[in-house]
Amino acid sequence: MAFDFDGTLSEIVPRPQDAVLDPALAPSLERIAKMVGYLAVISARDRATLTRRVPADWLTLGSYGLELPESISASGYPDGFDPVAARDSLDAVEHDLKALVARWPSARLERKTWGIAVHFRGGAEADYADPATFPKVNSLAESRGCRAVAGRLVIEVEPQGAVDKGWAVRHLAGALSPSAVVFTGDDLGDVPAWRAVKELGATMPAVPVGIRSAEMPASELEVCDVVLDGRGELSGLLGRLLEMAEG
C-alpha cells in the first residue's frame, strides 16, 4: 500500500514545514503495517523530510521517486540519473525563477533537494489561475533543461532526469513483486501513479484511490476505482480495509 503525503496522509497547511502525519490515521496505519508486505510514501517532498514524518519501517520515495530507499536501489537514484547535471540545472533555473516570482508578491519559492516549488497558496491563488502563469514557469524551466509540473496551487520545477510517481509505482512493483497494489493520492502529481496502478491491474489486484477536492479537476479522478469525498473519508476506508482483512 502506497500513499501520497501532503493532502493525503497530512492536511494541506499554509507552511509545508508544518505538515505532519495525521494522528487520526496513525492507529489504523499501524495495524495495516502488520498485515501487508510494505507501506510506502511517494511524495514531491525530499526523502530526508519524509523519513522524519513517517514510521521508520515505511518505504519512503522522495522527489516523486527520484530519491529511492537503499533497500531497492544501491545508488539511491534511478539508473542513469546524473546528480551533478541535475544540481547545476536547478541552480541556474532558481536564479531565473526568483526574478519571475517577484512579480507575484504573495507567491513563495521553496528550494528542495531535487526540485523547486512555486507556492501560490495564501494570497496568490489568482496568479496561479492566470493562464499565462504555468507557461512562464515552464518556459524558464525548459530553458535550463528542467520541466514544470502543476499541482494544487503549486508549480514544481524538476531537474533533468526527473521521474514521476507512475515510474515510482512501477519501480516498486518490479522490485518488491507484490501480490496486490493500492495507491492513494489527491493531487495532479498523483495521476501518473493512478494510471500505473491501473496498468498493474492487468496482472494483479490493483486499486487506485483518489481524494476529491475543489482544487482537483474531476476529470483527473476518472482513472480511480475509489474516489473519496475529502481526506476525512480516508480514515473510514482504512477502517473498512481492516475489517475485511481481519474478518
Side-chain angles (χ1 to χ4, degrees):
M1 291 188 69
F3 301 88
D4 167 54
F5 188 77
D6 293 274
T8 301
L9 295 181
S10 169
E11 292 276 7
I12 294 286
V13 294
R15 301 196 317 156
Q17 61 267 36
D18 295 335
V20 296
L21 178 65
D22 188 344
L25 300 176
S28 294
L29 290 169
E30 289 176 3
R31 291 166 62 193
I32 287 174
K34 298 174 182 177
M35 299 180 177
V36 301
Y38 302 92
L39 281 184
V41 177
I42 309 172
S43 172
R45 288 178 178 266
D46 62 76
R47 188 164 180 263
T49 299
L50 285 178
T51 57
R52 294 194 295 269
R53 284 167 167 76
V54 300
D57 56 342
W58 289 27
L59 293 171
T60 50
L61 286 75
S63 304
Y64 290 95
L66 190 55
E67 296 179 282
L68 300 169
E70 294 82 358
S71 59
I72 62 171
S73 172
S75 69
Y77 302 115
D79 292 343
F81 177 66
D82 184 342
V84 175
R87 184 83 66 194
D88 288 345
S89 65
L90 285 173
D91 288 345
V93 78
E94 183 179 20
H95 178 271
D96 298 338
L97 283 172
K98 286 179 178 178
L100 177 62
V101 172
R103 305 177 190 176
W104 306 314
S106 296
R108 293 175 293 107
L109 205 64
E110 177 193 7
R111 178 66 186 260
K112 303 180 180 181
T113 302
W114 294 115
I116 302 170
V118 185
H119 295 280
F120 295 85
R121 188 178 303 278
E125 288 83 356
D127 294 314
Y128 177 83
D130 184 339
T133 295
F134 182 83
K136 288 178 180 177
V137 176
N138 192 48
S139 178
L140 284 181
E142 290 182 343
S143 72
R144 299 296 189 175
C146 300
R147 69 181 184 187
V149 179
R152 291 175 59 185
L153 294 176
V154 65
I155 299 175
E156 302 268 2
V157 174
E158 303 174 344
Q160 191 173 44
V163 297
D164 61 27
K165 291 186 181 183
W167 181 92
V169 166
R170 288 188 288 270
H171 188 76
L172 278 176
L176 304 176
S177 300
S179 58
V181 175
V182 179
F183 176 83
T184 304
D186 75 305
D187 206 343
L188 291 169
D190 299 315
V191 175
W194 293 328
R195 291 175 178 163
V197 171
K198 200 74 170 180
E199 293 168 6
L200 290 170
T203 58
M204 68 181 76
V207 182
V209 180
I211 299 174
R212 184 178 286 117
S213 75
E215 299 166 357
M216 184 67 181
S219 60
E220 300 291 3
L221 293 164
E222 292 177 358
V223 68
C224 296
D225 291 329
V226 176
V227 177
L228 307 178
D229 285 321
R231 286 192 64 257
E233 292 195 353
L234 181 55
S235 180
L237 174 64
L238 295 177
R240 178 61 181 145
L241 290 174
L242 282 168
E243 289 175 4
M244 294 169 66
E246 295 172 341

